[in-house]
Amino acid sequence: MASEFNLNCPAPISNYDKILLGHGSGGKLTSELIKNIFLPAFQNPYLAELGDQAVVNVNGIKIAFTTDSYVVNPIFFPGGNIGELAVNGTVNDLAVGGARPLFISAGFILEEGFSLSELCEIVESMKRACERAGVILVTGDTKVVEKGKGDKIFINTSGIGIIEHDVEISPRKVKPGDKILLNGPIGLHGIAILSKREGIEFEVEIESDTAPLNFLVQDILSVSKNIHWMRDPTRGGVSSSLNELAQSSNLGVEIWETEIPIPEPVKAACEMLGLDPLYVANEGKLIAVVSPEDADKVLEAMQNNPLGREAKIIGEITEEHPGVVLMKTAIGGKRVVDMLAGEQLPRIC
């Protein structure tokens, strides 16, 4: 039977005819997959925003809606596990849209033979994560696949929140001169996963930074309505998030290497493994773009929250080099910080 919808790819997807791990990296291949496959098929103004959540108006009430899937390997890692990661990730996707998270769902895909005790531990961690974030898990689903047809457990979550502040968080609101704020050290989650997966031991154990950011966002919004954009830099790290911003706003982004907080153990691990911390995933971090007149009081609000003690202003928006992220290096030069081309660390969340 002929389909009413003809899917046309106007350009080759980087000359690949099969899905690669890199298509899940949050970098260039992910962007091309979305723009060439999913956007043409489901085109609508909500999806076109390409945010971590969709914001819809229902009878005069602004509601944020998000969904995500978690395939992290290993499922238990220093600082957390797949269950609390799923809850926190969904909460954070709502929060960076300016919403107060209210309800989430959870769908479990379980492999035959998976340990019930491990499942109970994961579910208990999700319960505690919901309580910490102040959300309620209200619905879910469970499927089981044959042994060898899955990988222990995958979790899909969706979340709904309400936007109560009179603020529009969108790349369209970003202006030259806006300051870029980061709430703390980067690279912890990705290196924690990698160390556990590969059995790499460091002098100091590096733990994931997974945490709910909704109360930090509430603190930010309580002191300023001039929050123009927010994002939690998960897959693809800080680099991919800022490149998405530069491209969607058609403005330049300049960041300052000396101001970006990178823990010494993460820096050492990245140097040893040949990784760039700017591309390493985070799970308890957010980037906020704020009007210059409000940047200092937003920074203070961040630093007064336990999840923002080490917050910094790390850069600014500029009219120069539109669509490009540049980093001013510690020695005074500048280099382009491009979007991740392939997959640096697969199955990181």
Side-chain angles (χ1 to χ4, degrees):
M1 180 181 294
S3 172
E4 294 182 0
F5 174 76
N6 294 317
L7 182 62
N8 296 313
C9 297
I13 307 174
S14 296
N15 298 319
Y16 297 115
D17 60 358
K18 291 182 172 60
I19 293 295
L20 307 177
L21 277 173
H23 285 111
S25 69
K28 284 185 177 179
L29 290 181
T30 303
S31 177
E32 291 172 0
L33 192 69
I34 292 170
K35 290 179 181 177
N36 291 316
I37 299 292
F38 299 120
L39 280 180
F42 305 108
Q43 189 172 20
N44 64 74
Y46 305 109
L47 187 62
E49 290 288 322
L50 292 179
D52 282 342
Q53 69 300 118
V55 177
V56 297
N57 193 306
V58 180
N59 296 328
I61 300 173
K62 292 172 72 175
I63 294 174
F65 176 58
T66 190
T67 189
D68 210 339
S69 297
Y70 294 83
V71 298
V72 64
N73 177 36
I75 57 176
F76 294 93
F77 47 83
N81 65 58
I82 190 173
E84 64 187 282
L85 183 69
V87 172
N88 291 339
T90 301
V91 165
N92 294 347
D93 283 348
L94 292 171
V96 295
R100 178 166 62 90
L102 297 174
F103 307 109
I104 68 170
S105 70
F108 296 88
I109 299 175
L110 307 172
E111 184 185 22
E112 180 186 19
F114 181 54
S115 164
L116 274 176
S117 65
E118 290 188 346
L119 178 61
C120 287
E121 186 175 349
I122 288 167
V123 170
E124 280 298 314
S125 75
M126 294 179 73
K127 174 188 174 182
R128 292 191 299 270
C130 286
E131 291 170 348
R132 180 182 178 187
V135 297
I136 304 173
L137 197 157
V138 293
T139 188
D141 182 51
T142 304
K143 295 291 189 296
V144 178
V145 297
E146 301 93 334
K147 189 173 183 63
K149 297 298 179 73
D151 192 359
K152 298 180 181 177
I153 179 172
F154 298 148
I155 301 176
N156 171 268
T157 51
S158 293
I160 294 176
I162 186 169
I163 297 178
E164 300 166 312
H165 296 269
D166 183 21
V167 59
E168 181 182 358
I169 297 172
S170 168
R172 294 189 303 272
K173 305 295 288 185
V174 174
K175 301 174 183 177
D178 283 354
K179 303 300 181 184
I180 303 167
L181 283 69
L182 176 68
N183 70 306
I186 65 172
L188 292 163
H189 177 72
I191 298 302
I193 296 295
L194 182 64
S195 65
K196 180 68 174 179
R197 183 187 300 169
E198 303 300 331
I200 302 172
E201 293 186 2
F202 304 109
E203 289 186 8
V204 178
E205 184 176 58
I206 299 172
E207 294 190 350
S208 170
D209 57 344
T210 178
L213 297 170
N214 49 322
F215 297 117
L216 174 63
V217 170
Q218 286 181 24
D219 290 347
I220 292 171
L221 293 175
S222 70
V223 299
S224 174
K225 299 300 182 288
N226 293 312
I227 312 300
H228 295 157
W229 184 84
M230 286 190 289
R231 184 63 59 92
D232 55 331
T234 53
R235 295 179 304 162
V238 169
S239 168
S240 289
S241 294
L242 291 179
N243 270 280
E244 290 173 7
L245 172 62
Q247 292 165 16
S248 57
S249 67
N250 198 32
L251 291 168
V253 171
E254 181 176 298
I255 54 177
W256 310 316
E257 184 177 26
T258 56
E259 298 304 310
I260 299 171
I262 304 172
E264 285 301 323
V266 169
K267 192 179 298 183
C270 286
E271 289 176 356
M272 181 180 74
L273 299 169
L275 303 176
D276 186 335
L278 291 175
Y279 296 92
V280 177
N282 312 276
E283 287 293 343
K285 298 296 174 289
L286 69 81
I287 302 169
V289 175
V290 184
S291 64
E293 60 268 22
D294 283 3
D296 286 338
K297 64 181 180 181
V298 171
L299 179 64
E300 183 180 0
M302 279 186 168
Q303 293 173 339
N304 287 333
N305 185 289
L307 295 177
R309 298 284 190 224
E310 299 178 69
K312 290 281 193 73
I313 297 176
I314 65 165
E316 64 184 4
I317 307 298
T318 175
E319 290 181 301
E320 300 175 5
H321 51 82
V324 176
V325 180
L326 289 183
M327 182 166 71
K328 185 176 181 181
T329 67
I331 60 174
K334 291 185 179 181
R335 71 173 177 91
V336 174
V337 179
D338 204 355
M339 186 175 282
L340 185 64
E343 178 61 275
Q344 183 170 250
L345 298 171
R347 294 183 60 181
I348 209 72
C349 61

